[in-house]
Amino acid sequence: MKFEEYQAAYQRKTRLSKKLYTRSQHVFAGGINHNIRFFSPYPFFVQKAIKNCLFDVDGNKYTDYWMGHWALILGHSHRAVSSVSSRQAKSGILFGTANTLSVQLAETIQKLMPRAELMRFSSTGSEATMYSVRLARAATGKRVIAKVIGGWHGFNTTLLQTVNYPFEYDESLGLIQEEEQFVESIPFNDLDRSLKILETRKDDLAGIIIEPVLGAGGCIPATRDYLIGLQEFAKKNSSLFILDEIVTGFRISIHGAMSEYNLEPDLFTLGKIIGGGMPVGLVCGSKEIMSLADPILRDQKYKRCSIGGGTFSANPATMSAGLSTLNYLKSNKQTIYTKLNSLGEQLRKRLTRLFNDSKINVKVTGMGSLFMPHFLGRRDNNKDKVDNALDVATANQKLLHMYHISLMARHNIFFLPGKMGCFSDAHNTNDLERLISATEAIVESGVLN
Amino acid sequence: MKFEEYQAAYQRKTRLSKKLYTRSQHVFAGGINHNIRFFSPYPFFVQKAIKNCLFDVDGNKYTDYWMGHWALILGHSHRAVSSVSSRQAKSGILFGTANTLSVQLAETIQKLMPRAELMRFSSTGSEATMYSVRLARAATGKRVIAKVIGGWHGFNTTLLQTVNYPFEYDESLGLIQEEEQFVESIPFNDLDRSLKILETRKDDLAGIIIEPVLGAGGCIPATRDYLIGLQEFAKKNSSLFILDEIVTGFRISIHGAMSEYNLEPDLFTLGKIIGGGMPVGLVCGSKEIMSLADPILRDQKYKRCSIGGGTFSANPATMSAGLSTLNYLKSNKQTIYTKLNSLGEQLRKRLTRLFNDSKINVKVTGMGSLFMPHFLGRRDNNKDKVDNALDVATANQKLLHMYHISLMARHNIFFLPGKMGCFSDAHNTNDLERLISATEAIVESGVLN
């Protein structure tokens, strides 16, 4: 079967989405709100989402492995969240004041992640990482932030560098060279080269920010040596080690990836899962550093680090959804994390075997419930190493895209094309079997050859 | 009566809040998430919010004039929003994909604000203004953004300058001089001096961003001449005129402050009201400029302007709450805006008269349903001009604070101390009369003399 047939099948079953996309082009730049949510010829438009499924306007039902940018660990519209959210809607979604729920959620997080000595909620992850940079600069009096190539920390201006291939090009029009000079990019999982680069900036190095598992950059776990090496370098040079756990927090384990890797970050960021699906970000850290933001201890604006905040920060709709999610995870942690990690591990193994038995050179990376196949061997002479974002970007992105579109078109299985997938607690082994057999059918159709 | 007696009354009735604040100090820097939400000795903790009232953990019920940072134009937990939010909680709060609700909300906004030829939703206002700056730089190829002294556009790093008095000092530790050089601050409502400053930067001027009513800076409407003058200067010099309508959009009128002032901004930002209380931001503008963000027209990252986005952008919880709010405003616009504007105007007049009859030199500023009293004449030799953020900051802030605390302590009326207040559709003339008579009682008690 040709890829065109898959595309035609997709278009046949998404006629109303096509119309909506035309309407959408008259209100949104490119007909979409978030560039990654676009795929050719047009994305389907979702009307509702229940458990592990998305329902589009044409009545199609897709098994979802995107799960709200990997935020929905309990699945869509989980009763533990929806019941609380319904109740909250009647007693206030935005107080704009101190409130009990925010203290309860923060205390819950603090018990599970003891390095969160003090915190500040924001409304997005991008705000949280921006605040972590400001705090690092305030705490050290230095200016440079190191990030890894392919590291994604949201749309804030400071960290919008070396995110997408080709990494040496600007991420956007409208960025300013004089601002960009204070970010130094280092090669992920290559400690020697990273340390050599860091060495040249160490006198002005405020901090190193890194995701323990490269998320948007291609689902690559950092090696323990790499993370420990960066952490040691930071501590030795009076710079901060900042762990961005927005994707991994409460997903890799209930104590974060930092407990799996046994790390001691000075600051770390959370988001996604801790809001139960509602907008949220959180910057956490040691009392010493976070106290720089204390408006009572530091009663002059230029003596403190001004961090979030914002109108919607600590709003009760987010706080109640997040609290309910974390309480549910806590009460069921054994079952949930065992299941999620087992599904992830099985899938990685079986997908790898399936593709390679069919002589399609694929490596499936991931950790816990996160996974992503990489099609190798066409553009890059049968390489089989996928250690960093460059390896991901130079793998055969077109085949990955075709694989994901084919799953959508004929098998009603949704991955955001080209992106990492994940399991939620709403998935089970039947989903895994369906994904495997759908993949088999696609492989057999010959479209990936 | 002495102020100490008011303070004691506040403490007597907020014992549980005091305990919660102690707990809160163990999780949040300064015991608070957002610095402005702190007031001495501790803020009360809200448990629920209905219509025009906040209910705290000690069982106190306050008439609220803060209204979720002025976002809740229909009041807290309005049935038009809460019923939709309850329903949405059961069919998905985060799709992470294209969705129908976002198109409907955007189309509704576009019909009411025709200059929104294309848009992009973000999750906070701070993100929206950050994107507007990036777009202005991308569109013009220039770097400098002018903002007014006292202008508040959120916590993003770019615009965090000259927000609070003393304006010449940094707003925060952790900001970088090399970044700050690309923001030029101009004196609000002083066109001659502003133009002189802009003239010196015009070759590198990407845009001018301004709130039509200085919000956090002290509730001062810009003069029409000032706004028109800035707009003309921008257009003449190939810079963008950016109107920040996050506070004023759908509050000053259903077509924004821009229609009242008859302005033609190249870009404008919305937030607050358009999310119905849920986290939201929006950057809007001409097709020509916004198309810079189109990922299909501009398929290389360095050829387009990368803007929002984010995990939670265009999420159905926000979209449905916002759509329901705007539809309600549309269906009832005559009644609502007439009432809101009338309450605001009456209050400004009566408060002014009341204070001045008692020989307390107060000027009440505002526009539509926004209002704020300024205590003059103590520190500054009976001046009576409040035209900009410097006038606001050098008025007697302590008296304003005491007035607001006294209202809270003895009269169960809540203003965030020192901040602008607003009416919502959940307020009525009884509230106005109560606020007037409470103010009379406070004046009579002698605490403000």
Side-chain angles (χ1 to χ4, degrees), chain B residues 13 67 100 126 196 200 203 216 227 270 301 329 364:
Chain B
K13 72 179 188 183
M67 297 310 295
T100 317
S126 180
K196 269 189 199 122
T200 66
D203 294 339
L227 292 172
L270 292 168
K301 63 173 184 169
L329 287 172
V364 187

Side-chain angles (χ1 to χ4, degrees), chain A residues 6 34 38 51 59 93 104 117 119 180-181 188 205 223 226 252 287 297 312 320 329 334 348 356 392 402 416-417 436:
Chain A
Y6 283 103
H34 192 348
F38 175 82
K51 294 183 176 170
I93 53 175
Q104 292 171 323
E117 291 178 5
M119 292 164 255
E180 292 178 329
Q181 65 180 309
F188 187 69
L205 188 68
T223 63
Y226 188 64
I252 296 303
K287 202 172 164 179
L297 285 178
F312 308 105
S320 57
L329 287 172
Q334 203 60 43
R348 284 188 293 274
N356 293 342
V392 172
M402 285 162 70
L416 196 66
I436 292 292

Side-chain angles (χ1 to χ4, degrees), chain B residues 306-326:
Chain B
S306 288
I307 58 169
T311 296
F312 307 106
S313 61
N315 75 75
T318 296
M319 297 296 104
S320 57
L323 185 59
S324 189
T325 299
L326 297 197

Side-chain angles (χ1 to χ4, degrees), chain A residues 1-9 447:
Chain A
M1 187 147 57
K2 288 183 179 155
F3 184 55
E4 287 71 27
E5 293 173 59
Y6 283 103
Q7 285 178 306
V447 69

